[in-house]
Amino acid sequence: MPTARAAPKVFLITGCASGIGKRLAERVAAAGHSLLATDVNSAGLAAVAPQTWALPRVVCHAFDVRDAIAWRAAVQLAVSHWGRLDVLLNVAGVVRPGNVHEITPEQLLVHLDVNAGGMMLGTQAAAQQMVAQRGGHIVNICSLAGVAPVPGIAGYTASKFAVRGFSLAVAHELRPHGVSVTCVCPDAVETPMLDQEMDYDDAALAFSSSRPLTVDEVADAVLDRALARRPLEILLPRRRGWLAKFASLAPNCERWLIGPLTRSGRKRQVAYRERKQSTYGDRG
C-alpha cells in the first residue's frame, strides 16, 4: 500500500499551530502532498513555519472543530482546491489537568467538546466525502489515556476513551465503502499540552514512562505505519500500550500499579519541569 511519501494525496490536518499537528503538517507538505492546515488559533497558525505555509499546495484555514457547519465547509474547501480529500488527520485537542472535585464544569466538559466532539464531527464530515469518492483514510489521534484511565486528567481520559471507541466502531462502518479508520494511541508526547501538566502533581502518572515521546515519533507512526498499513489501532510504544491494555482489562489490579507508577512519574515530572524551566530561563 502507498505511504505518505508515495503518490501525492490531499490532506486535512487539525491542530497545526503546535505540537503533533504542526510537525505532521510540516512533514506532509515537505513530502509534496496538498494540505489544508487548520487550527482554531488563526494567529498561531499563521506564525508557524512560514516556509511551509508559503508553498502553493498548502492552504491555511482557521476554524473551531466543535462547529459542524465549519467542518463541512473545511472539507468542501479542500475539495474545491484539489477535487477530493484523501486523508484526514484529527489531531486537535486540549487538556485541563485537575481532580474532578477541584475544576470547573467548563474545564471538565471542554475535553468532550473538543477532543471527542470535534473528532466525531470531523470524522463524519470527512466520511461523507470519502464514501462519495469511494476511498480515503481517517486517522484519529487518541492516547494511551484512552486505553487505561489516568487520574488527575479524568476529563481528558474520558474524552480519549470516546475517541478510541468511536474510531474502532466507525472503522467497521466505513470499511465496505473503501474508507479506512486508524486510531493512534501514543503515550505522553513532549508538546505544549504536556507542559500544562508538569506543574500539577496529581497528573504525575502521565510522566511515568522512561521519557516522553517526540512529535517525530508520533509522526512516524502516522505517516509510515498508519497510512501505509491501515491498521485499526496503533499503540505507541508497544510495551506501554500492552501495559495499558492489561490495566484496562483488570481495573482492580490497576490499583496496585498506580502507586509505583505514580511515584516514578513524580520524579520524572520534577525532572521534566526543571528541564523546561531551565530552557525557558535560558531563552528569557
Side-chain angles (χ1 to χ4, degrees), residues 113-164:
D113 292 341
V114 176
N115 301 349
M119 173 276 310
M120 293 168 72
L121 292 173
T123 298
Q124 181 182 54
Q128 290 167 343
Q129 171 62 32
M130 291 175 178
V131 167
Q133 67 191 27
R134 298 297 300 174
H137 197 163
I138 299 167
V139 179
N140 292 328
I141 301 299
C142 186
S143 168
L144 289 187
V147 181
V150 180
I153 50 172
Y156 179 83
T157 291
S159 70
K160 291 302 185 178
F161 264 75
V163 169
R164 182 168 176 261

Side-chain angles (χ1 to χ4, degrees), residues 4-5 15 77 97 116 122 129 139 149 195 197-198 205 221-222 266 275:
R5 298 193 183 96
L77 180 60
Q129 171 62 32
V139 179
D195 292 352
E197 301 172 51
M198 68 183 182
L205 190 63
V222 172
R266 188 159 289 124
R275 175 167 64 85

Side-chain angles (χ1 to χ4, degrees), residues 10 12 38 44 57 59 66 71 124 169 215 228 230 278:
V10 177
L12 192 165
T38 77
R57 61 181 176 272
V59 174
R66 295 172 290 185
W71 258 116
Q124 181 182 54
V215 290
R230 297 179 179 253
S278 174

Side-chain angles (χ1 to χ4, degrees), residues 217-228:
E217 286 175 306
V218 180
D220 288 341
V222 172
L223 301 177
D224 297 333
R225 291 171 59 189
L227 296 186

Side-chain angles (χ1 to χ4, degrees), residues 14 16 68 163 168 192 204 221 266 283:
T14 66
C16 292
V163 169
L168 296 178
R266 188 159 289 124
R283 289 177 182 173

